[in-house]
Amino acid sequence: MFYSEDVEIIRELIHNKSIDLYDLHLKYRLSPAQVSRSVKNLLNEGVVEIEGETISMTDLGREWVIKNRHALFLDENRKYWKIEKEGSRFMGDDIHNFEYTLEILRLLEEDEE
């Protein structure tokens, strides 16, 4: 199981060669404890390396991300944005499934470019 901050850090590393730890804190509003815990775990796995105040992904880390991509990015237990109790007035059609939501986000990103 991965924490949401782990996933955000990994996503950021996929898009950038290195990341300043303080920038992670600011961009994602992560506490120092969250950043520290995630970075320590990723260091222990050999996914990242640290130099000064920046981290970067290792070659082993790229392979690790590919191997763990389903656990990182496709949590089957949480397909929906919000899980409602049985009988809730918001059940069914009002909840978009995970794949549909990803497609919407992808389109929004393309529009921003």
Side-chain angles (χ1 to χ4, degrees), residues 55-79:
I55 59 171
S56 56
M57 194 176 299
T58 63
D59 290 336
L60 176 67
R62 286 179 193 72
E63 294 174 23
W64 182 88
V65 168
I66 291 168
K67 280 185 192 173
N68 291 286
R69 66 188 178 275
H70 295 292
L72 284 163
F73 305 115
L74 298 173
D75 185 355
E76 285 297 317
N77 295 324
R78 299 196 51 165
K79 288 186 191 179

Side-chain angles (χ1 to χ4, degrees), residues 45-62:
E45 292 287 332
V47 174
V48 299
E49 55 191 12
I50 191 165
E51 186 175 321
E53 299 298 316
T54 62
I55 59 171
S56 56
M57 194 176 299
T58 63
D59 290 336
L60 176 67
R62 286 179 193 72

Side-chain angles (χ1 to χ4, degrees), residues 85-112:
K85 293 179 183 175
E86 192 64 41
S88 168
R89 65 185 180 97
F90 297 110
M91 285 299 291
D93 294 338
D94 292 337
I95 300 174
H96 299 292
N97 99 2
F98 183 71
E99 291 79 14
Y100 179 74
T101 305
L102 282 179
E103 185 61 31
I104 291 172
L105 293 174
R106 211 171 287 122
L107 292 172
L108 288 172
E109 286 177 1
E110 289 174 5
D111 285 346
E112 290 178 356

Side-chain angles (χ1 to χ4, degrees), residues 5 22-32 34-35:
E5 57 264 28
Y22 187 70
D23 289 344
L24 279 173
H25 157 71
L26 291 177
K27 183 173 183 176
Y28 296 103
R29 298 181 183 191
L30 299 172
S31 71
Q34 288 173 300
V35 172

